[in-house]
Amino acid sequence: MIGRIAERVSETRLWDRLMTMARHGATAAGGVNRQALSPEDAAAQATLIGWGAALGLAAATDAAGNLFLRLEGADRDAAPVLTGSHLDSQPSGGKFDGVYGVLAGLEAVEALIEAGVRPRRPIEIVAWMNEEGSRFAPGMMGSEAFAGLRDLGEIMRVRDLDGIAVADALTATRAALPPLPELPLGRPVAAYVEAHIEQAPLLEREAKPIGVVTGIQGKRTFRVEVTGEEAHAGTTPLVERRDAIIAATAMVQQLHRTCAASDQQVMFTVGRLVAEPNAPSVVAGKVTFSIDLRHPDQPTLERLGDAVPDICEAARGSCSVHVAELVNAPSLEFPASMRERIRRIARELAVPSLDLPSLAGHDARQLHKVAPSGMIFVPCRGGISHNEAEWAEPGHLAAGTRVLAALLAELAS
Ligand SMILES: [Zn+2]
């Protein structure tokens, strides 16, 4: 059964569609500029709707501007299995980020149809609205609205740099598409699977065509304000100073030591450090610095993040310190059963796989809150992404699609 479905996946058909999609917003340097709800995005959606129609897939949308193509199930009332990603790109994005997940879904469904598989549950290919968040920030708008994590009215009021609101850009996008029925937000989903390029170099380095994504790395960010006292660099004895730079750098060093001692997966970055008055002959009276802390394991992220205020307090010397947490997005782990299915299908198809966390965020983060979810990664050259040079091998893209097709058949049976 798995083999019969997999052999229907066409590497050339998938590749041709990827290259056709890459013309919508093509840049001179071989990349893609197809920002959310732009004319290029609308053209890509129209192309997708056309390909779906040729396969008998019904297109629909919802109030958030997500696009769905539905393969009807034997049980029309059963909650659908969803698969997809996003069609929008960064201003200087590549040909594969997002669009691969959507077209892998289409290719997988076409393979199921050709193999004569009639799933019990409907299968829907989805293109989530504005994943990237480059034109309208922050991104993940479609999947957050779908999962009920963000207010739709608030999303519609977000404006781009030209002052155009999401609501108006969405109206323009709809006008460029055939009329589509509107599905309710928050309808039940049986499962969600997202195929995506890895955007990191691990699969390529290990020569594994399939990544079984264990989860999505979480992130905590902080702003630390260290207050000392401005003083004359030539007349104030060291013991009497309240030097905010000395205190802040002691904190940074201790935070770095603590994180580095934890394990190899921790990401710790102080990317911004501002001293005041920032003058060569004045002892700094104030330093503000940022902390960006990431780890795929939630207990570790919690432990290290919770330690930040105490470490700063212990290193403050004669200065005072105030720590504010700005972002706390927990790490998540996809269900073990989903990961096991992906691993087993890859094994049955004789494609080597590797378990690995996603270091970047994806729409699957939101879907994970409402349905059993999983992700399939394929390698991309040098791990380069969000870049016009982004590249993935046709054979790897097809291998990921074969695993996806077999997985969809199982989840929808
Ligand atoms: Zn993406």
Side-chain angles (χ1 to χ4, degrees), residues 247-284:
T249 51
M251 292 172 196
V252 172
Q253 288 299 327
Q254 189 52 46
L255 288 163
H256 184 261
R257 266 193 296 276
T258 304
C259 289
S262 170
D263 61 274
Q264 301 267 311
Q265 286 181 300
V266 66
M267 300 284 174
F268 169 79
T269 307
V270 173
R272 184 165 192 263
L273 191 145
V274 182
E276 296 172 43
N278 210 17
S281 297
V282 182
V283 174

Side-chain angles (χ1 to χ4, degrees), residues 37-39 42-43 45-46 61 167-180:
L37 305 179
S38 63
Q45 292 190 44
T61 186
D168 298 323
L170 185 53
T171 302
T173 300
R174 288 208 170 112
L177 299 177
L180 300 174

Side-chain angles (χ1 to χ4, degrees), residues 85-86 97-98 131-132 196 199 362:
S85 191
H86 56 98
D97 177 3
E131 192 270 353
E132 297 287 3
H196 207 282
Q199 303 179 291
H362 297 286

